[in-house]
Amino acid sequence: MRFHITTFGCQMNVHDSQWLGRTMRDKGWEDSDEDQAEVLILNTCSVRDKPEQKVYSHLGRLRDYWSRNPELFVAVGGCVAQQVGEAFFARFPYVRLVFGPDGLPMVPEALARLSREPGLRLSLLDFTESFPERDTALPDQGVQSQAFVNIMQGCDNYCAYCIVPLTRGRQRSRNSEAVIAECRSLLSRGVRDLTLLGQNVNSYGLDTKGREPVFSDLLRNIAELPGLRRLRFTTSHPKDLSSETIAAFGRFPNLCPQLHLPLQSGSNAVLRAMGRKYTLEHYLDKVELLRRERPEIALSTDLIVGFPGETDQDFEQTLEAMRHVGFESSYSFMYSDRPGTRAASMENKIIQDVKAARLKTLQDLQNEISQAALQERVGQRAEVLVEGRSKKRSAATQCFRGRDESGRTVNFAAPSGSDLDFSGQIVSVRILEAKKHSLWGCMEEVP
């Protein structure tokens, strides 16, 4: 049968969808465009209201496909599925499978059964007591230079605004031997750039009562694997970013000078209401230590505007924190109520117009900071892991795109007369120009 996957939300969802797609192809299913598929899979996100509403809108649009082909069916997975559950069955007759993040390993078998039994509906919504392992040694992954490795699932922090503990469950750390085995396997197949994934990677191992190492030890064990050129991790909670993990940035050259460290707000009053368990001063101390270990580190963050009770002064403190840290990029959102969270019942909600105005001000400031950071790279040399050919090309010169060690997008021209494909290689590029969201340069020499 033919299938199509649509993914909403975070990098963990993207990674989950990639695994599911590879598994389905390995079992003989055919990946196709949405309008040609017989099974449509939505991997959803409910961390904010807007992505959740996009899921309902998308499901409504799929009704036309079902009207033309009544044998078509839809599977809804991820955080919205965990939140809404079997209520999808009543609202959308063509939805025949709902599965939460822990149910992902069972989805291929469930889809095969549904294709054989037309009247059946299934739900895979129970949380597991341990990390939900799945097959990571699929034969058709092909040549790849970058890969993601899940090291934990769920979260124990229960921030006032966050639905993750309700949709992904309590924290469960993956067995460290399984993590390292997957990393070794990926490196043996030519992967050079690994990213460790989790809702809060810094708290890895804390739920196992000593059965697994803490995150800094796991990070060291992976950084020392032969053949690994680049190592990253996301996402980090500032309160759990240990001095040992910070020191690793100075100790291991292959630990990339890049870190996503969510701040959420620059106001201590708002951070306290959010339940973030750190102050701005505590956060800035971590930033100072990181830059002492790795002066060139590029920091990115998450920011929420319009949290209940946020004053103009609170918001100005967030802007000042952005200027002080100089985040190279940020993911910024207007606060929205999420069902079951503490913030949903808080008073002093901020009206939409005020939230929208604050978000624009914040994003305008971020654009200025980001552009200045890119401009500082002009004239510098960058080591770029090439992802493929660039759309910026001319008839006379081959152009490629990739990312430098800090995750910045770099488009560059290959040496004149070269007809080689540099995809998957790390090449030296001289940065010539800063664009709005990327860099442009020329390759210095053929490796």
Side-chain angles (χ1 to χ4, degrees):
M1 295 183 70
R2 292 167 293 184
F3 72 97
H4 180 83
I5 302 176
T6 301
T7 306
F8 302 84
C10 67
Q11 186 57 62
M12 292 191 73
N13 275 12
V14 172
H15 182 52
D16 288 347
S17 293
Q18 290 172 344
W19 176 86
L20 182 57
R22 290 197 306 267
T23 305
M24 299 297 291
R25 289 189 293 272
D26 184 48
K27 293 182 177 297
W29 292 59
E30 179 185 348
D31 200 345
S32 76
D33 293 336
E34 186 179 77
D35 60 352
Q36 299 296 317
E38 295 151 303
V39 176
L40 299 170
I41 304 166
L42 306 187
N43 195 3
T44 66
C45 173
S46 63
V47 70
R48 293 179 293 121
D49 181 63
K50 188 174 181 180
E52 182 179 338
Q53 296 308 315
K54 284 183 178 180
V55 172
Y56 290 115
S57 176
H58 196 88
L59 280 168
R61 187 170 60 79
L62 298 183
R63 187 179 295 272
D64 290 340
Y65 295 145
W66 179 64
S67 298
R68 294 196 298 267
N69 177 16
E71 295 184 358
L72 172 148
F73 68 90
V74 176
V76 182
C79 291
V80 176
Q82 189 72 50
Q83 175 188 330
V84 176
E86 296 182 10
F88 274 121
F89 294 154
R91 185 169 176 180
F92 302 100
Y94 38 91
V95 172
R96 293 179 52 206
L97 173 66
V98 290
F99 62 94
D102 282 15
L104 187 70
M106 298 175 280
V107 169
E109 181 180 343
L111 291 175
R113 183 180 175 190
L114 289 167
S115 69
R116 297 190 302 266
E117 303 179 42
L120 185 64
R121 284 177 151 180
L122 295 173
S123 62
L124 305 171
L125 298 171
D126 291 337
F127 288 123
T128 59
E129 293 184 0
S130 58
F131 182 91
E133 284 287 354
R134 58 203 189 206
D135 183 6
T136 59
L138 300 169
D140 73 333
Q141 295 187 73
V143 178
Q144 57 182 136
S145 57
Q146 300 167 284
F148 298 89
V149 177
N150 278 348
I151 69 168
M152 50 91 72
Q153 174 78 289
C155 184
D156 286 348
N157 284 309
Y158 289 92
C159 297
Y161 55 84
C162 186
I163 200 171
V164 165
L166 306 178
T167 58
R168 286 187 175 264
R170 298 293 300 271
Q171 175 175 315
R172 288 145 297 159
S173 297
R174 187 181 179 191
N175 176 268
S176 59
E177 292 181 0
V179 172
I180 293 173
E182 182 176 357
C183 291
R184 288 185 188 278
S185 175
L186 290 166
L187 293 173
S188 72
R189 285 177 284 178
V191 169
R192 299 184 177 202
D193 186 321
L194 288 177
T195 300
L196 309 180
L197 293 178
Q199 266 75 38
N200 176 17
V201 292
N202 292 334
S203 66
Y204 173 87
L206 299 182
D207 57 303
T208 68
K209 299 180 180 179
R211 294 190 303 275
E212 299 297 341
V214 295
F215 179 63
S216 58
D217 291 336
L218 178 70
L219 195 64
R220 182 194 68 243
N221 292 335
I222 295 173
E224 292 175 344
L225 291 175
L228 178 58
R229 294 288 298 274
R230 292 182 174 182
L231 177 61
R232 313 171 200 270
F233 56 87
T234 194
T235 290
S236 292
H237 195 299
K239 76 176 180 63
D240 296 319
L241 182 62
S242 68
S243 58
E244 292 81 8
T245 297
I246 291 173
F249 282 95
R251 179 178 178 185
F252 300 107
N254 60 353
L255 183 56
C256 291
Q258 174 190 13
L259 182 63
H260 187 74
L261 193 63
L263 173 61
Q264 306 300 2
S265 174
S267 162
N268 284 336
V270 174
L271 290 173
R272 187 164 52 251
M274 288 178 168
R276 292 292 287 171
K277 301 175 184 175
Y278 57 84
T279 64
L280 175 64
E281 292 74 20
H282 178 246
Y283 184 97
L284 295 180
D285 285 345
K286 302 272 177 141
V287 169
E288 182 180 350
L289 291 172
L290 284 163
R291 289 195 164 136
R292 189 178 302 169
E293 292 289 348
R294 205 71 171 271
E296 74 276 24
I297 194 167
L299 297 175
S300 57
T301 197
D302 293 337
L303 296 164
I304 296 173
V305 302
F307 188 80
E310 181 188 64
T311 65
D312 289 341
Q313 182 180 8
D314 292 328
F315 176 63
E316 185 56 46
Q317 289 171 353
T318 297
L319 299 180
E320 183 55 35
M322 292 173 63
R323 297 184 188 101
H324 181 87
V325 177
F327 296 112
E328 290 210 10
S329 63
S330 63
Y331 296 94
S332 52
F333 315 101
M334 289 185 285
Y335 168 81
S336 59
D337 286 340
R338 307 310 300 128
T341 63
R342 286 186 288 117
S345 60
M346 287 181 177
E347 299 179 351
N348 299 320
K349 297 288 172 63
I350 309 301
I351 63 173
Q352 185 70 17
D353 287 350
V354 172
K355 289 193 293 186
R358 288 178 181 174
L359 183 63
K360 183 180 186 306
T361 299
L362 184 149
Q363 292 181 339
D364 287 346
L365 174 60
Q366 182 62 69
N367 287 337
E368 292 177 15
I369 297 172
S370 298
Q371 188 60 40
L374 290 175
Q375 193 64 44
E376 287 181 0
R377 304 306 303 163
V378 175
Q380 303 295 312
R381 177 175 166 270
E383 296 296 309
V384 177
L385 177 57
V386 185
E387 297 174 348
R389 297 187 186 275
S390 172
K391 294 179 180 178
K392 302 179 183 296
R393 63 176 68 185
S394 66
T397 307
Q398 284 200 104
C399 298
F400 294 86
R401 72 176 189 282
R403 293 187 182 272
D404 69 6
E405 291 176 300
S406 297
R408 306 179 190 94
T409 298
V410 180
N411 292 283
F412 65 93
S416 179
S418 172
D419 60 355
L420 299 175
D421 186 351
F422 298 102
S423 299
Q425 298 185 45
I426 295 178
V427 301
S428 180
V429 174
R430 179 68 61 178
I431 304 301
L432 302 176
E433 186 179 355
K435 301 292 187 179
K436 187 174 182 180
H437 299 295
S438 63
L439 297 166
W440 170 258
C442 64
M443 188 171 154
E444 292 191 318
E445 60 183 24
V446 177

